[in-house]
Amino acid sequence: MKILLYLTAVVVVCAAQDFGHIKNLQVTSGDGSITLEWDFVAGDPTYKLHKYTILTDNDFSTDFRCPAAHCTTIIDYLDACKEHTFDVTPVFDDTVNGGSVNGDTSSISGFTNDLPPSSPSNLRVLSEDDSGTTLQWDAPTKNPICVQSYKVCYRLDKDPKPTCETTEDTTITLAGLQACGEYHVTVTPVTPSDTEGPQLEQDVTTENGVAGPPQDVKVGITTDSIIELEWNDPAINPLCAQDYSITYGEVTSRPRFGYHLVEDDDDYDHHANIGPLEPCTEYIISITSISKDGHESDPVSSQASTDDTDPLPPKFIVVDSSGPDTIEVNWGKNEADRCIGYYIICWNASNSLDETCVNVTDANGKYTITDLLACTHYDVSITVVTPGGIFSETVRNFTNTGEAAPGPVENLKVDDIQTTSVELYFEVPEVNPQCAGEYDIREIDLDHNDYGARRLTDEHRRNTISGLKPCSNYKFQVRAVSWNGEYISPWQSVTTKTTCT
């Protein structure tokens, strides 16, 4: 119990003559009572102090006799927790004129001690609207006048600390209460001396609402068969989100549906693992909040791809020449392999270390290599690459391009002329030299109208022609012949005369 000592400025109504007056008027709070005390300063001895008249709360008065210099009296049966006013007036005997005369009145106020109120009761939800939830309760039945205010606190199960607000009424509108919440609410009466009475504790369930869409939806960890989706509670009525519906499907296919219960995560409020999924596949994922009444929010969508797996190499590769400068490449696709991002097709001539490669995305298992050399052996390879850059094993094959006509031989000439022989020399054609597989040589004896022929390989372009007649004029002709003999070049000619003996 708090004892309050009030030192209040005393209001003194001055009389024309000082018969004696009150000084240092003070009050001390008690339980249902207030103690008054004061000092008396004597004045004109002709007027003797007879008594004091005390007026309480401008309502009732009592007489009190105290001839001492310091007086104390208790005013009881006062209402608790209330401010009371006191007017103390000394009354003197008038020995000159007879009767009595009042001295100066001193006034003061003070509070009685708090009496603990009982607990409030009947907590209920009065209304709910955009401004918040309005709660109402009944005042304590015991000492309700001692309630100066109410402290209202509320929290959810997951909240470590309650949120508290104060009101002087038996109603309060709490903007912090969300729809669909089950709150632990306490209402505590508080007296003028800040003493708290027994609290009313009760669970309050707010009305249902419609949950907004999930917030901060993002794709988390992905594997070749699972996509993790993470999200936070809705900003609108988050407590009304009882579950979440996740719709997912391939970007180019019909959606598939699935429901996932709420799970806690360290960084996000919730997450779900979606799977099993196909590897190397792009999915569109939509998520909605499901309210307690089954209502779904607007969807939030995100796209993600599963990780790559090692791609399968082509089942086979077939290469065929379709002309002197082209090769048709055909390969067997693995239709079930979703991880085919593109193909790398490479080729090089057998007589060259330079390799040419192209990336082929959608060729339906066919590709034509162009701008090749005719009559040339080519090695061709094909490799599958996933969208993420994983390479398959390489499959290889080879073929020759088709033949083309070689050009005429170059720099045909005769050296080392003898009586019965000459040395014939020429260089390979400038046009399609690789198509010259053999060479035809004709020797024509111009003097005797005689004729001879022979066929040489590319390795013997310098040849000794023997068995000739001395002192005779000869014409020598050379032409290039393709490898299968399909194409020949024009003849090139040179004349000379053997020496005479």
Side-chain angles (χ1 to χ4, degrees), residues 305-343:
S305 298
T306 48
D307 291 347
D308 298 352
T309 55
D310 291 337
L312 298 174
K315 296 178 180 179
F316 58 85
I317 178 174
V318 176
V319 290
D320 290 306
S321 173
S322 56
D325 61 351
T326 59
I327 292 177
E328 297 291 338
V329 184
N330 294 270
W331 62 92
K333 297 176 64 176
N334 291 286
E335 300 295 341
D337 190 354
R338 292 171 172 258
C339 290
I340 299 175
Y342 60 95
Y343 299 88

Side-chain angles (χ1 to χ4, degrees), residues 351-373:
N351 59 355
S352 173
L353 297 177
D354 294 333
E355 186 176 57
T356 303
C357 296
V358 294
N359 295 342
V360 179
T361 54
D362 185 14
N364 293 319
K366 296 180 180 180
Y367 183 75
T368 300
I369 304 174
T370 59
D371 299 325
L372 302 177
L373 292 175

Side-chain angles (χ1 to χ4, degrees), residues 18-23 39-43 52 69 92:
D18 185 12
F19 307 119
H21 61 272
I22 296 172
K23 183 180 179 181
D39 297 323
F40 177 72
V41 179
Y52 295 93
F92 299 90

Side-chain angles (χ1 to χ4, degrees), residues 299-491:
V300 179
S301 298
S302 182
Q303 289 190 210
S305 298
T306 48
D307 291 347
D308 298 352
T309 55
D310 291 337
L312 298 174
K315 296 178 180 179
F316 58 85
I317 178 174
V318 176
V319 290
D320 290 306
S321 173
S322 56
D325 61 351
T326 59
I327 292 177
E328 297 291 338
V329 184
N330 294 270
W331 62 92
K333 297 176 64 176
N334 291 286
E335 300 295 341
D337 190 354
R338 292 171 172 258
C339 290
I340 299 175
Y342 60 95
Y343 299 88
I344 298 179
I345 299 176
C346 300
W347 62 90
N348 69 287
S350 59
N351 59 355
S352 173
L353 297 177
D354 294 333
E355 186 176 57
T356 303
C357 296
V358 294
N359 295 342
V360 179
T361 54
D362 185 14
N364 293 319
K366 296 180 180 180
Y367 183 75
T368 300
I369 304 174
T370 59
D371 299 325
L372 302 177
L373 292 175
C375 313
T376 303
H377 177 96
Y378 279 93
D379 293 311
V380 181
S381 67
I382 184 168
T383 306
V384 177
V385 184
T386 69
I390 302 176
F391 287 70
S392 72
E393 296 180 3
T394 299
V395 180
R396 305 177 186 275
N397 206 339
F398 61 88
T399 191
N400 294 327
T401 49
E403 293 196 345
V409 299
E410 299 287 331
N411 299 324
L412 177 62
K413 63 181 179 179
V414 175
D415 291 332
D416 192 15
I417 302 172
Q418 303 294 329
T419 57
T420 59
S421 66
V422 297
E423 188 173 82
L424 190 66
Y425 173 79
F426 59 90
E427 294 179 358
V428 298
E430 184 176 336
V431 178
N432 292 328
Q434 74 281 0
C435 289
E438 297 175 311
Y439 297 92
D440 286 337
I441 299 178
R442 290 195 306 193
E443 54 199 57
I444 302 172
D445 186 345
L446 300 176
D447 296 333
H448 304 94
N449 196 23
D450 196 6
Y451 172 85
R454 67 187 68 192
R455 176 163 286 184
L456 303 175
T457 66
D458 182 51
E459 297 176 354
H460 300 88
R461 286 178 284 119
R462 182 180 294 276
N463 292 274
T464 298
I465 308 299
S466 59
L468 305 179
K469 297 180 178 64
C471 278
S472 298
N473 292 298
Y474 282 91
K475 176 189 285 188
F476 298 97
Q477 294 180 315
V478 180
R479 69 180 180 185
V481 182
S482 65
W483 291 94
N484 62 7
E486 182 179 358
Y487 298 99
I488 56 176
S489 72
W491 290 103

Side-chain angles (χ1 to χ4, degrees), residues 48-62:
K48 181 181 179 182
L49 179 63
H50 178 63
K51 62 179 180 179
Y52 295 93
T53 298
I54 302 174
L55 177 63
T56 302
D57 294 334
N58 294 318
D59 181 29
F60 63 94
S61 64
T62 56

